[in-house]
Amino acid sequence: MSQQINLCNPLFRKQKKYFSAITMFQALGLILLGILSFYGYLAYQTRGLATQDLQMIQLQDNAKRQLNALASRVGNRKPNQALSDRVAQMEQTLHAEVSVLNMLQRGELGNQTGFSPYFIALSRRTVNGLWLTGLNISGMADEIGIDGRALQPELVAKLIQQLKYEPVFAGVHFTKLEIRRPAPADKEAQTGDNKAAVSASATHVAPYIEFALVKSSAGPAK
């Protein structure tokens, strides 16, 4: 009787060792080296941050000392009285100017545009044979007086009609119109011995009439 022995049985093969003791110690050493390197890097970064923190603290202390020194110098200085008086004067002037400006804006100080528009309007509305001798404007043009002379009385009415076309005279109602002849020019003569005054010349009549237009309140033009 014979028996066969299978020498190819896996049990009789030499087994490979994947992780030997030396390999495991080497791997463990590499891991420890990596950990130590990481902690060394962290320590380096920590020392750098600590140095920066110390520098910032020093800078802050220097700034505090400089600020305290500056505050001490400023506190010991006495104010310039002349400068303080000048500032107070300028503040008073500014306050007064602001008050006047506010009053002007509210119209409390009368006419803000002046009276030149009235002169311009009268210069545009000229009437042949009529000339002006006086112009009086009061307040905010609440009262207007126009004095003049004309060769005929009808020219005064023509002037009034012409003024209606000027914006500055729009709505102006002249409440009073006076037309008169100038007083005759009398000449007086005296005797040589100054004993009596004798009227010696004839009366001379002027070739024009005098007129006066007065406006005392605004109203619709007629």
Side-chain angles (χ1 to χ4, degrees):
M1 182 176 166
S2 62
Q3 184 179 1
Q4 295 180 353
I5 299 174
N6 188 4
L7 298 178
C8 294
N9 194 325
L11 294 176
F12 297 100
R13 293 179 182 178
K14 186 177 181 179
Q15 300 291 327
K16 294 182 179 181
K17 296 181 179 180
Y18 294 97
F19 297 101
S20 63
I22 296 175
T23 303
M24 294 180 65
F25 278 114
Q26 290 176 349
L28 182 60
L30 291 175
I31 294 173
L32 290 175
L33 181 61
I35 294 173
L36 291 175
S37 300
F38 179 72
Y39 276 103
Y41 176 76
L42 291 179
Y44 173 77
Q45 292 291 333
T46 303
R47 285 195 299 271
L49 293 175
T51 302
Q52 293 181 2
D53 186 46
L54 181 61
Q55 293 176 352
M56 293 298 297
I57 292 174
Q58 293 176 353
L59 291 175
Q60 185 179 7
D61 293 339
N62 292 334
K64 287 182 178 179
R65 286 194 296 270
Q66 293 177 3
L67 181 61
N68 293 332
L70 180 60
S72 177
R73 289 197 299 268
V74 173
N76 293 331
R77 290 183 180 179
K78 294 182 179 180
N80 191 329
Q81 187 62 36
L83 183 59
S84 300
D85 295 341
R86 178 60 177 169
V87 171
Q89 182 181 3
M90 294 180 66
E91 289 179 350
Q92 293 178 357
T93 302
L94 178 61
H95 179 72
E97 291 178 352
V98 171
S99 299
V100 172
L101 180 60
N102 292 333
M103 295 177 67
L104 283 173
Q105 292 177 347
R106 294 192 299 267
E108 297 179 5
L109 295 183
N111 195 332
Q112 304 176 39
T113 59
F115 302 117
S116 58
Y118 293 92
F119 291 97
I120 295 173
L122 291 171
S123 65
R124 283 200 297 256
R125 300 298 172 177
T126 57
V127 177
N128 292 330
L130 181 147
W131 61 98
L132 301 180
T133 59
L135 175 64
N136 182 25
I137 303 176
S138 302
M140 297 182 65
D142 296 328
E143 296 183 1
I144 301 176
I146 301 176
D147 298 326
R149 294 175 179 176
L151 297 180
Q152 291 90 23
E154 294 80 8
L155 298 178
V156 180
K158 185 177 180 180
L159 173 65
I160 297 175
Q161 292 294 329
Q162 291 289 334
L163 292 179
K164 291 181 180 180
Y165 297 102
E166 291 293 333
V168 72
F169 282 99
V172 173
H173 174 56
F174 291 100
T175 58
K176 184 178 180 181
L177 171 60
E178 292 183 358
I179 297 178
R180 59 185 177 274
R181 286 282 179 182
D186 295 335
K187 295 182 180 180
E188 293 183 354
Q190 294 182 348
T191 59
D193 55 2
N194 293 327
K195 293 182 179 179
V198 180
S199 180
S201 63
T203 301
H204 176 71
V205 179
Y208 56 82
I209 56 97
E210 296 179 341
F211 68 90
L213 287 171
V214 179
K215 174 254 182 183
S216 60
S217 61
K222 295 183 180 180

